[in-house]
Amino acid sequence: MSETENPAVVEALAKMFPSDDPLDSVDFDVTQYINAMFPNEQSLSNLDEVILELSERIEHHEGEVSNLIREGHQDGKQSAQMLDEAQVDLQKLVSSIMEIKTRAEESERMVSEITRDIRQLDQAKRNLTASITTLNHLHIVLDGVENLEKATTARDYGLVATLLPGVSNVIEHLDVYKDSVEEIQIVTQRMAKIRTDLSTFVTKDFSQAFAISSKEKLDIQNVKSACQVADCLDVTVRNEVISSFIVSRLSEYKLLFDSSQEVAWFDKIDRRFAWAKKALMDVEGRFGEIFPASWEISERVAVAFCKLTVEMMSSVLEQRHHELDVKLLLFAIQRSRMFEEQLAKRYSGITITGNQTKPEHEGPKESTNPFENDFGSESGSQSELSETKLDEKLAKKESPFSRMVTCAFSNYLSIYVNAQDRSLKELVQRFVTDFAIESSQTCEVLPSCADLFVYYKKCLVQCSQLSTGEPLLNLSKIFAAHLRNYGNNVLMNNLPINTKTTNAAQSALSQMTALLKEESATRLTRHDLALTCLLLNSADYCIDTISALEDKLIEKASPEFKERIDFSPEKDLFSDVIKTSIGLLVQDTEGACGPAFQALLKTNWAAFHNVADQSAYVTAILKHLEEQIPYIRDLLANARKYFTQFCIKFASSFIGRFTSTLFKCKPISTIPAQQLLIDTQVLHSALLNLPSIGSSITRKPPLSYTKTVSSKMCHAENILKVAMNDHNDPTQFIQNFKTLLPDGDADTFKRIIDMKDLRRSEATSLLEKYRGNVTTAEDTEQYSLRKLERLIKNRL
């Protein structure tokens, strides 16, 4: 396609040069144009004029084209001339740039020559300044070292503390010249000797100063200066000074509370901490201004006291552990923990963790004394702490001082665990004894359930503060054992089960199964129903609380013990209590329908000729349900899921018994079957509304319950519909049976025939035809399968 034939180009030209002339049209047709100019023969008379006009137009266009060509030629010449001029200008510009560059390079050389001398002078100035500074430093060091030697010999720690930091700093600057300048090397050696002598003198003088009794006057300023000197020396000197000070402060404690002393026993543990109180107050009072604040000397003494106390108490425990009982153990642990908490309030723990942290308690401080309250003023008995306070303490972030003293008792916590075992055994036994009183109270859950888990919580809090290792694991095993004891002896054994009908060796579930099969089981009273629901609610509460207890134990336990904490068997036991309770409720509710089922069986259906409203036995059943179901629903108001389970299990059991009773009714012809169908439909409707029966608020029953009731009741209705049909047409009767009861078998078919109470010959003939029909159908199906198998084999 040429450029002029491009549709876009044609459209653009049409917009630039609009024209109505047919000759300018893209779709110009010569024949059409000529026919338009000469429509008939008469118009040919103007042919010459038309030819002349067209010739003139052609000449005019040729002239325009010639002019355009000349103008284009002239424009080309002008463009070439302008291009030549631009090239000339460009060459001139390049020449100018090269000239400027040359001049710039010459200028740079001139500047470099001018500044070269200036740089040399600057370097000389820096060298001279460095030389003067080094000489000044050397002069200072020489004077300083000489003065330090004199002050060290005289043990003038005040002067030494003033000179030592500066001289040491200057010598560090001169250290780079040590190998090249002999004078500096000599000064460095003299300085090293001074530091060695100072380390010896400071350590010796500190030991003498700390040995001064409180009655003698201490040269505070000289000792304070000595501390400043020790801070400037090697860190080992400072540590040795601190260690000797701590040893001197705790030497009296080691003698007073030696394992051979009676005061070392734990009934007098308050005296240990009272001594610590006095010692720390003495440290802060006499030596608080002497030691630098960065040494944290008071906290270091407290930490050393705790470590020494653990060693001494461990020695006492090893010798006299047989004298320790749980009351004394808890008393000692409580006092030790209180001491740890007081230390945590006063000190940051930086000497333990190495990180600066705030004390637990922030607020206005009247005194720096960490032991404002005497131990004897603490409220509470020796053997227990306030549960609320324990929970609050447990929730706090653990301080560095936590278990610093109480860890001494870690190996003897079995005493505590065994005591809790005995206490829990007594507690559960008391619950068993007091069950009659508890169950008579108006409550949704047995009070003993809450009491038991409150005690568990208290034990958990106490033990987790003592240890998160094996003692906590052993305590969890004790919890599990007593939970099983409680579940069996308090809950399961108090269910209103008629034990005369069962073997004592049977499990609770086996007992329940036997009871459900017994037709003559005694009805439960309203008190028994309330007791059953109370035990069910209590078991549900125990399951939920056991889960929370298990989570808390796993949270507190050490990582290596977490996987060994498991309360699944205990939760299964309480689940069995719930299942047994629901089974009892189902058995009692269904058992009350027994007289109605007996009335159904005793009805003379042969004399039944008219269909009426619901039968009397249906009315009796509905009345019983309207009385019992609301009562049970109210008792299980806070356990709706178990009420739903009860409804499902009752409906399944009731419908099964009702269907079995229907099969026993004889003889059932069309009219009796219609009456029974009406009764079944009434019961079907009543069962669907069972969860909300007698309630002012109608709730839609759960889908699982609706499916269960509808499936089983429709099956009963279909049995009656089959029995309603005339048996004189065996083929139709069998077909109806297959249609209405597609899952029915020969046994079901026989039971329906028995309901109709046919003569033996008729029943036998009908049953044989059914079996033959079923056999034929089965043979046909087998033949079809064999044929399909042969086709597949042939295809393969």
Side-chain angles (χ1 to χ4, degrees):
M1 181 181 291
S2 65
E3 184 179 354
T4 57
E5 292 177 348
N6 192 315
V9 175
V10 172
E11 183 179 359
L13 291 174
K15 291 181 179 179
M16 293 175 62
F17 307 102
S19 174
D20 296 332
D21 192 344
L23 295 175
D24 295 333
S25 176
V26 179
D27 301 327
F28 177 72
D29 189 352
V30 177
T31 304
Q32 185 178 0
Y33 182 73
I34 294 174
N35 290 333
M37 293 182 63
F38 305 103
N40 49 41
E41 294 182 0
Q42 288 79 9
S43 61
L44 292 174
S45 59
N46 299 325
L47 179 62
D48 294 335
E49 296 178 1
V50 172
I51 292 173
L52 180 62
E53 180 182 357
L54 292 175
S55 299
E56 292 176 354
R57 290 182 65 180
I58 291 171
E59 290 177 0
H60 175 71
H61 288 311
E62 288 179 350
E64 287 183 350
V65 171
S66 299
N67 291 335
L68 291 173
I69 291 172
R70 279 195 299 272
E71 290 177 358
H73 182 66
Q74 292 176 358
D75 291 340
K77 290 182 177 181
Q78 292 178 357
S79 299
Q81 183 178 358
M82 291 175 66
L83 181 62
D84 294 338
E85 292 176 356
Q87 290 177 348
V88 172
D89 293 339
L90 183 61
Q91 291 176 356
K92 291 180 180 180
L93 180 60
V94 171
S95 300
S96 299
I97 291 173
M98 295 301 295
E99 184 178 357
I100 292 172
K101 180 179 180 182
T102 303
R103 291 179 180 179
E105 292 175 351
E106 293 177 356
S107 300
E108 185 178 358
R109 284 195 298 271
M110 292 176 63
V111 170
S112 299
E113 292 175 358
I114 294 171
T115 58
R116 181 176 57 197
D117 296 335
I118 297 175
R119 288 199 299 270
Q120 291 176 352
L121 291 174
D122 287 341
Q123 183 64 36
K125 180 181 178 182
R126 285 194 294 271
N127 294 337
L128 182 59
T129 302
S131 300
I132 294 172
T133 302
T134 304
L135 289 174
N136 287 335
H137 285 168
L138 182 59
H139 177 69
I140 292 171
V141 166
L142 290 173
D143 291 343
V145 169
E146 186 176 352
N147 293 332
L148 276 173
E149 288 174 340
K150 294 178 181 179
T152 301
T153 304
R155 299 193 181 184
D156 185 357
Y157 295 121
L159 181 58
V160 172
T162 304
L163 295 175
L164 185 59
V167 174
S168 300
N169 188 33
V170 174
I171 285 183
E172 288 181 3
H173 289 288
L174 297 176
D175 193 60
V176 294
Y177 308 108
K178 182 175 65 175
D179 297 333
S180 58
V181 181
E182 183 179 358
E183 190 68 25
I184 294 177
Q185 187 176 6
I186 294 172
V187 171
T188 303
Q189 293 173 354
R190 292 170 62 188
M191 188 63 189
K193 185 177 183 303
I194 290 171
R195 295 176 72 90
T196 302
D197 293 343
L198 283 174
S199 299
T200 303
F201 294 156
V202 166
T203 303
K204 183 177 179 180
D205 291 347
F206 259 108
S207 298
Q208 294 177 354
F210 297 153
I212 297 176
S213 65
S214 60
K215 295 182 180 180
E216 298 182 20
K217 187 175 180 180
L218 182 67
D219 188 355
I220 295 177
Q221 188 58 43
N222 194 41
V223 176
K224 187 175 182 179
S225 299
C227 289
Q228 296 175 357
V229 172
D231 228 5
C232 296
L233 297 175
D234 191 74
V235 67
T236 57
V237 177
R238 187 194 68 178
N239 292 340
E240 188 175 352
V241 169
I242 294 174
S243 177
S244 63
F245 175 77
I246 292 174
V247 169
S248 68
R249 295 302 97 193
L250 297 179
S251 58
E252 180 186 3
Y253 174 69
K254 292 179 69 174
L255 293 174
L256 291 175
F257 294 92
D258 185 76
S259 59
S260 60
Q261 302 296 324
E262 186 61 29
V263 74
W265 189 233
F266 297 109
D267 58 346
K268 299 178 181 62
I269 196 171
D270 286 344
R271 296 188 183 182
R272 289 181 181 270
F273 302 132
W275 187 95
K277 167 186 173 180
K278 181 179 178 181
L280 291 175
M281 289 176 64
D282 182 63
V283 168
E284 293 189 357
R286 292 183 61 200
F287 304 99
E289 298 180 359
I290 295 177
F291 294 99
S294 61
W295 286 20
E296 299 286 350
I297 194 67
S298 181
E299 180 178 320
R300 291 180 187 275
V301 172
V303 172
F305 170 82
C306 292
K307 294 179 178 178
L308 179 59
T309 299
V310 170
E311 294 178 6
M312 297 175 69
M313 290 197 305
S314 298
S315 177
V316 174
L317 283 168
E318 187 175 353
Q319 297 174 18
R320 304 175 59 181
H321 63 87
H322 57 280
E323 302 177 31
L324 188 64
D325 58 17
V326 67
K327 185 176 180 180
L328 185 57
L329 174 66
L330 287 178
F331 171 72
I333 291 174
Q334 179 193 18
R335 295 308 197 211
S336 301
R337 188 184 302 118
M338 289 167 58
F339 179 73
E340 293 170 350
E341 291 171 358
Q342 288 177 329
L343 292 180
K345 292 178 181 178
R346 176 62 181 88
Y347 302 117
S348 63
I350 187 174
T351 61
I352 304 173
T353 62
N355 298 321
Q356 182 68 45
T357 56
K358 293 183 180 180
E360 286 186 13
H361 177 71
E362 292 292 335
K365 299 178 181 178
E366 299 179 359
S367 169
T368 58
N369 176 18
F371 305 99
E372 288 291 344
N373 298 323
D374 292 335
F375 289 108
S377 64
E378 294 290 336
S379 61
S381 64
Q382 292 183 351
S383 61
E384 62 179 346
L385 294 172
S386 168
E387 183 185 346
T388 304
K389 291 182 179 179
L390 282 172
D391 287 343
E392 292 174 355
K393 291 171 185 174
L394 190 62
K396 290 182 179 179
K397 184 178 180 180
E398 194 173 79
S399 73
F401 291 93
S402 179
R403 297 193 180 94
M404 181 162 280
V405 178
T406 53
C407 65
F409 304 100
S410 298
N411 295 331
Y412 301 91
L413 291 179
S414 59
I415 299 174
Y416 169 79
V417 174
N418 294 334
Q420 298 308 318
D421 187 15
R422 292 190 297 270
S423 298
L424 283 169
K425 185 176 182 180
E426 294 173 0
L427 185 64
V428 173
Q429 185 59 42
R430 179 165 61 84
F431 292 156
V432 173
T433 305
D434 298 342
F435 178 80
I437 300 175
E438 276 195 318
S439 60
S440 63
Q441 301 175 8
T442 303
C443 53
E444 295 180 357
V445 177
L446 285 172
S448 59
C449 289
D451 294 341
L452 180 64
F453 285 103
V454 166
Y455 191 87
Y456 279 176
K457 181 180 179 182
K458 176 184 173 182
C459 294
L460 169 60
V461 171
Q462 286 181 336
C463 189
S464 62
Q465 290 182 335
L466 303 178
S467 172
T468 58
E470 190 168 357
L472 187 63
L473 176 64
N474 293 336
L475 188 66
S476 71
K477 293 179 180 178
I478 289 174
F479 286 172
H482 291 290
L483 280 171
R484 292 192 297 271
N485 186 16
Y486 181 83
N488 285 318
N489 296 328
V490 177
L491 299 185
M492 186 69 80
N493 287 353
N494 284 297
L495 284 171
I497 300 177
N498 185 4
T499 56
K500 294 180 181 180
T501 61
T502 57
N503 190 325
Q506 289 179 310
S507 66
L509 289 178
S510 300
Q511 293 177 7
M512 196 62 242
T513 303
L515 281 172
L516 291 176
K517 291 180 178 179
E518 187 178 355
E519 295 291 338
S520 60
T522 306
R523 283 290 313 278
L524 298 180
T525 63
R526 281 298 178 100
H527 175 267
D528 292 337
L529 289 174
L531 176 60
T532 303
C533 293
L534 174 63
L535 295 176
L536 187 153
N537 289 328
S538 300
D540 182 41
Y541 171 84
C542 289
I543 290 175
D544 293 339
T545 315
I546 287 172
S547 299
L549 174 67
E550 183 179 18
D551 294 340
K552 185 61 68 175
L553 281 167
I554 293 174
E555 176 188 340
K556 297 299 179 184
S558 300
E560 62 270 22
F561 296 106
K562 290 183 183 293
E563 294 183 356
R564 298 171 62 182
I565 297 175
D566 183 20
F567 284 84
S568 298
E570 289 69 37
K571 287 188 278 190
D572 292 341
L573 171 62
F574 288 101
S575 296
D576 290 343
V577 174
I578 293 174
K579 293 176 183 177
T580 306
S581 300
I582 293 175
L584 279 172
L585 296 175
V586 170
Q587 175 222 355
D588 183 72
T589 306
E590 181 191 334
C593 300
F597 289 133
Q598 291 296 325
L600 173 61
L601 285 174
K602 292 178 180 179
T603 303
N604 184 10
W605 297 106
F608 206 89
H609 302 294
N610 296 316
V611 178
D613 293 334
Q614 65 188 40
S615 303
Y617 76 91
V618 175
T619 303
I621 291 174
L622 297 181
K623 182 179 179 182
H624 163 65
L625 295 179
E626 290 172 356
E627 292 176 354
Q628 182 138 328
I629 299 300
Y631 183 70
I632 295 176
R633 182 177 61 232
D634 293 341
L635 292 173
L636 300 179
N638 293 325
R640 294 290 300 179
K641 61 180 179 180
Y642 297 120
F643 176 70
T644 301
Q645 290 183 21
F646 159 73
C647 291
I648 293 174
K649 290 185 178 181
F650 168 73
S652 299
S653 179
F654 174 85
I655 297 172
R657 185 172 179 181
F658 175 70
T659 304
S660 177
T661 306
L662 286 179
F663 280 127
K664 297 177 184 178
C665 295
K666 299 178 184 180
I668 302 299
S669 58
T670 302
I671 300 300
Q674 290 177 353
Q675 180 62 51
L676 287 173
L677 183 61
I678 293 175
D679 296 341
T680 304
Q681 291 171 347
V682 171
L683 290 174
H684 186 178
S685 177
L687 288 174
L688 287 176
N689 191 43
L690 185 68
S692 300
I693 191 171
S695 175
S696 58
I697 301 175
T698 302
R699 294 182 180 178
K700 187 176 180 181
L703 185 60
S704 58
Y705 174 78
T706 304
K707 286 183 176 180
T708 300
V709 172
S710 297
S711 174
K712 294 181 179 296
M713 287 303 290
C714 287
H715 179 75
E717 292 174 2
N718 289 336
I719 290 173
L720 293 172
K721 290 177 182 178
V722 172
M724 191 185 304
N725 294 324
D726 188 4
H727 63 279
N728 292 322
D729 186 354
T731 303
Q732 185 62 38
F733 186 83
I734 293 171
Q735 184 61 40
N736 289 337
F737 173 82
K738 291 182 178 180
T739 303
L740 294 172
L741 299 171
D743 297 332
D745 53 10
D747 183 63
T748 305
F749 187 78
K750 182 178 182 303
R751 297 181 73 180
I752 293 176
I753 293 175
D754 291 342
M755 289 174 63
K756 299 182 74 65
D757 198 22
L758 302 178
R759 290 194 300 272
R760 184 165 186 163
S761 58
E762 292 180 336
T764 303
S765 174
L766 194 59
L767 185 59
E768 289 177 355
K769 289 183 179 180
Y770 169 78
R771 289 173 176 169
N773 187 283
V774 171
T775 303
T776 302
E778 291 176 353
D779 292 342
T780 303
E781 183 178 358
Q782 292 177 0
Y783 173 76
S784 300
L785 289 174
R786 286 195 299 271
K787 183 177 180 182
L788 177 62
E789 184 179 2
R790 285 196 302 271
L791 289 174
I792 294 174
K793 287 181 179 179
N794 293 335
R795 178 63 58 87
L796 293 175

